[in-house]
Amino acid sequence: GNSVTQMEGPVTLSEEAFLTINCTYTATGYPSLFWYVQYPGEGLQLLLKATKADDKGSNKGFEATYRKETTSFHLEKGSVQVSDSAVYFCALTIQGAQKLVFGQGTRLTINP
Amino acid sequence: DAGITQSPRHKVTETGTPVTLRCHQTENHRYMYWYRQDPGHGLRLIHYSYGVKDTDKGEVSDGYSVSRSKTEDFLLTLESATSSQTSVYFCAIKPGQGSNQPQHFGDGTRLSIL
């Protein structure tokens, strides 16, 4: 089946630290990959996406590269800010399908 | 802002009562979804719709029904609420059929079943 596994949280970092949140997937078809972010009390917002192997999605200083050989889509940011504190979700959808499959989410807290 | 309104935003009710949650969109998008969010589970799909009167089940559909009588509204009904349905419910929309198109989410409804 199709599934997404994220690194377990919570993750706590200091401001300006380097961030990596790991995401790996299994897929029966050819997936598109997404990172969503959820700020407290809000719905999910699309952070970035990649739709084919070796694509790099980027937004707001965050990046993730679609690695087909390692079935991974790790989220990175070079210097985090307190405002990046949120829950991050990795997700996939299979070509021809209309449903997203989510990882369990990783809660990130950035301390000043 | 993706033009999605969920109502109510908060609701507390008792076991055994019927509950209906509403998702309204102003985008005229074809696809609409209902998810529930629970700690440790991420988001799980309850039901989705691919057009007026066209719906299908997701992975956690037991105890839930949906209706879509017009493009802009997608209703989720708990016929007889149970405490296990206490959760945060999110609606999402997607414009078309392409799997690379992202879904856009509402702000959620926090439902407590006592």
Side-chain angles (χ1 to χ4, degrees):
Chain A
N2 303 310
S3 66
V4 175
T5 302
Q6 291 181 231
M7 68 185 288
E8 290 195 21
V11 174
T12 302
L13 296 172
S14 297
E15 204 165 22
E16 300 183 2
F18 184 87
L19 168 70
T20 300
I21 300 178
N22 290 337
C23 171
T24 58
Y25 66 89
T26 59
T28 55
Y30 194 73
S32 294
L33 301 171
F34 305 86
W35 276 102
Y36 282 85
V37 59
Q38 184 181 31
Y39 299 103
E42 299 183 9
L44 279 69
Q45 302 175 23
L46 178 68
L47 182 59
L48 52 83
K49 71 174 186 179
T51 59
K52 61 182 187 294
D54 299 324
D55 266 3
K56 178 185 283 188
S58 61
N59 187 26
K60 299 181 182 180
F62 291 89
E63 294 183 339
T65 301
Y66 186 166
R67 301 286 189 200
K68 187 177 179 183
E69 63 276 12
T70 54
T71 62
S72 65
F73 193 52
H74 304 322
L75 183 68
E76 296 182 336
K77 187 174 185 183
S79 177
V80 292
Q81 306 301 313
V82 172
S83 57
D84 294 327
S85 298
V87 180
Y88 292 81
F89 292 93
C90 185
L92 67 80
T93 187
I94 298 298
Q95 191 172 26
Q98 307 305 324
K99 302 182 229 183
L100 275 171
V101 176
F102 284 92
Q104 73 270 33
T106 301
R107 182 175 298 277
L108 173 67
T109 301
I110 307 300
N111 293 321
Chain B
D1 192 348
I4 307 170
T5 303
Q6 291 188 230
S7 59
R9 292 294 315 278
H10 303 271
K11 187 172 182 66
V12 180
T13 191
E14 295 183 347
T15 301
T17 60
V19 177
T20 295
L21 308 183
R22 180 183 184 232
C23 178
H24 178 79
Q25 61 149 330
T26 58
E27 307 296 319
N28 201 36
H29 285 350
R30 177 181 176 188
Y31 290 88
M32 298 185 76
Y33 303 80
W34 277 109
Y35 294 89
R36 60 179 289 173
Q37 182 178 22
D38 304 289
H41 291 278
L43 272 77
R44 293 180 292 175
L45 181 65
I46 305 171
H47 283 279
Y48 73 104
S49 170
Y50 47 97
V52 173
K53 300 192 190 305
D54 292 323
T55 65
D56 204 353
K57 295 179 179 180
E59 62 179 307
V60 290
S61 59
D62 287 348
Y64 301 95
S65 62
V66 290
S67 66
R68 192 170 180 197
S69 59
K70 45 186 178 178
T71 299
E72 57 266 35
D73 288 327
F74 192 32
L75 304 181
L76 177 70
T77 297
L78 292 66
E79 299 290 348
S80 178
T82 68
S83 58
S84 64
Q85 293 175 312
T86 292
S87 187
V88 182
Y89 291 85
F90 287 98
C91 175
I93 62 175
K94 188 165 80 78
Q97 202 165 347
S99 57
N100 60 352
Q101 295 181 358
Q103 295 179 20
H104 299 281
F105 288 78
D107 287 334
T109 294
R110 185 173 296 275
L111 178 63
S112 297
I113 315 293
L114 305 178

